Amino acid sequence: MFKKIVRITLLLFACTLFVQTCTALTYSGGGEWAYSEEITIRENSGTNLVNYQIPIVLNSSNFDFSLALSQGEDIRFSSGDKQLQYWIDEWSAKKEKATIWVKVPNIAADGNAKISMYYGNPKATDVSSGSSTFEFYDDFSGSGLFGNWERFSTGGGEIKISDGICNIIVPKFHPEDIASIKTKDEFPINSIFVVKRQKVTTGTDSRGPVIMQGFVDPQKETKNQVLASTELENENKVTWILQNAKSSARYFPSDLTNVNVAEGDWYTMGVAWYMEDEFGKIAWFKNGVRDSKMDLAATEEKNYIPVTDMKIYLSANTYSDVSDNTGYGAFDYAYVRKFVSEEPTVMIASTRTGSEEAITTVEPVRINITPASGLMTAIRIFDTADYDDASIVELKESGLNTIMLLTDDDNIWSLERFVKTAHDNDMQVYAMIFNDPKSKSDEDNSVYVRDVLEKVVDYNSKSLSAFDGVDIALDPCSEDLEEACAQNILLLEDGREIAGNELAIAVDIPSSYLLADLAGVSESADLIILQTYALDTSNPGTKDEIIDSVASKMGEIRGSEGKALIGIAVNEDFTTDADVQNLLEELQDYYSKDTAFMGTSIVVYTDYEEYSMVPETTETESKGIPGFSALFAVAGLVAVSYGQRSQKKR
């Protein structure tokens, strides 16, 4: 009895040393956890989140894969004394990357929640569970669908499950042949339906089958629908099919984006269906990345998005032209999780046992650098003295949604009220870091940029109105083009390390920049701003001139899967707004289907000239630059006009 009491006492003592491991990590194969990380989750949507699924993304910058088991079997999560359910989506110790979905009990609106991650236990067994983590999960590991799904087919359509893959097959080329499955369970709005999928063509028609994924009415699929339809070879046409029986509204928007994945390659597609401002909204994700071109929202006039509970749905169809477009959609897994438009962000702080000091790293979760409207309309502001609260409201009402704000090493905290007012009006603010115009030293621009960037990061860690990103102006590469561009790449690599991955980085690319170095910029930058203007030159001023001037660079950015704004200069002494209005509309129309195009950035040329270290004796005259005096009034006309035209097209 005495020995038993001693053992119990020692056990209780051990628990007090590492209480969370003892009380929370109940699902294990024995052993102890050597390492732990504290994870902070910040809520961004203003909504109390309950049992919300959060992605924990690990890589070499925030996690040592050599300290965990080869497949992450020893990973555990807890909140207080409760062990949390999780599912390992991806784990590659060789590539040093992993994505783990964790079900977090509570995250207060606009607040922070803390959870702990444990690893480093060679005796632990795998307890990853998709079915316990998500609202719905199926990895098709069984031989049939009858447990979770209802099935339907015509014209010889088939549904087959083999080796953990569900194949939905349309084997005949007869008009409107179909094979489909939908869940027995229903799901509420504020959900996202994700599948890992591929398309396979078996007929002579290279377009292959039409595959649909999304939400449908529980009784009749065509009554209420939120479906993403993919067509053509490599699924290069993606459209929405929307039906709201309550409002008797049906909507078939035109081709909005593309998958562009070769047949036989796996990828994930997500269809998000959520409510905001009392109307239904939808979003589309490829490999976890939201494509803003697919963002749609119902309105009173076009209330085509239903909000009643629905079932999830997958189908493979033939075309109506009776071509031999047979084939099938293959699905590796499917899940439904909760969704809000502004999803939480994640930060990891390391407190590894045996470490001499805590290591703090930031999760590589990018903030959403694209406003809900889908395109950025940015303005550069070099001096806030002329902008009171009413002016910022006017900027927002005019259609501008992003401000690039000149920031130096002395004025950061004086900008906090401006940034807060902009945020209160749903405008993003980037800290714009230019060369120091007042510097009389011969230090290169990179030293100044690094110094200001460090101050921005420090400000963001303490301020209630943090910058949404930084906009770094690169050296124009005017004296030694090749050497300067190479130095810029090093500067951006350092900038990414300083900023971490939570802070978006935009980069100004001078018109003189070497084409070959753009891919290197894309690796470190979230957004590239292509300047079409330069000092003391004749700048392009028409749509065709601007498109031609950036064509090769846009192609390079597109090839590296980067994102770009096209920057144009305007003159402040023009009293008419027609040139600017027409130009921005033409650019938006021309690039409407370009996945790399994120919008436009405008600058008053005289402001740009003043802050670009131009000698006072130098006089420049820019030709062919449209301009205006009332900048926000013009931008408003552009935004309203473009929005109306977009609605008409839809």
Side-chain angles (χ1 to χ4, degrees), residues 18 33-36 67 119 350-359:
F18 204 19
W33 280 263
Y35 308 105
S36 68
L67 301 179
Y119 57 100
S350 174
T351 54
R352 295 173 189 162
T353 302
S355 299
E356 293 183 0
E357 59 180 345
I359 303 171

Side-chain angles (χ1 to χ4, degrees), residues 108 127 138 189 223 225 297 405 440 449 468 556 639 647:
V127 296
D138 197 337
I189 197 167
K223 182 179 179 182
Q225 293 181 326
L405 185 61
K440 296 181 180 180
V449 170
D468 299 287
E556 205 58 35
Q647 290 296 327

Side-chain angles (χ1 to χ4, degrees), residues 247-258:
S247 299
S248 299
R250 191 164 178 79
Y251 185 34
F252 294 91
S254 58
D255 181 11
L256 298 176
T257 188
N258 65 78

Side-chain angles (χ1 to χ4, degrees), residues 280-301:
K281 294 187 176 183
I282 50 177
W284 184 84
F285 292 75
K286 171 190 168 185
N287 291 330
V289 179
R290 184 173 183 167
D291 187 335
S292 61
K293 294 184 184 301
M294 291 283 287
D295 285 359
L296 286 177
T299 63
E300 290 185 7
E301 295 78 18

Side-chain angles (χ1 to χ4, degrees), residues 103-239:
K103 191 174 186 178
V104 180
N106 290 286
I107 312 172
D110 298 318
N112 292 331
K114 294 185 183 296
I115 65 174
S116 297
M117 176 176 69
Y118 301 92
Y119 57 100
N121 181 356
K123 295 184 178 181
T125 56
D126 183 21
V127 296
S128 167
S129 172
S131 59
S132 299
T133 303
F134 298 114
E135 309 305 294
F136 171 89
Y137 175 81
D138 197 337
D139 61 2
F140 305 110
S141 57
S143 59
L145 286 165
F146 300 107
N148 293 326
W149 305 84
E150 301 168 356
R151 53 196 294 171
F152 176 81
S153 62
T154 61
E158 298 180 79
I159 296 99
K160 293 184 177 180
I161 290 183
S162 177
D163 298 325
I165 304 296
C166 175
N167 292 330
I168 301 180
I169 309 165
V170 283
K172 296 184 179 181
F173 49 99
H174 183 276
E176 300 180 0
D177 277 357
I178 183 173
S180 68
I181 59 174
K182 67 178 178 180
T183 51
K184 296 179 179 180
D185 294 335
E186 300 174 20
F187 303 94
I189 197 167
N190 297 320
S191 298
I192 180 171
F193 174 32
V194 179
V195 298
K196 184 176 181 180
R197 51 185 271 177
Q198 64 174 216
K199 187 184 81 168
V200 178
T201 300
T202 57
T204 58
D205 187 337
S206 62
R207 295 179 300 175
V210 179
I211 300 175
M212 296 185 187
Q213 172 185 335
F215 300 85
V216 297
D217 188 84
Q219 280 74 45
K220 186 178 180 181
E221 286 88 346
T222 56
K223 182 179 179 182
N224 290 293
Q225 293 181 326
V226 173
L227 295 173
S229 171
T230 62
E231 305 175 36
L232 307 183
E233 188 173 0
N234 293 341
E235 300 180 278
N236 282 334
K237 180 179 181 181
V238 184
T239 61

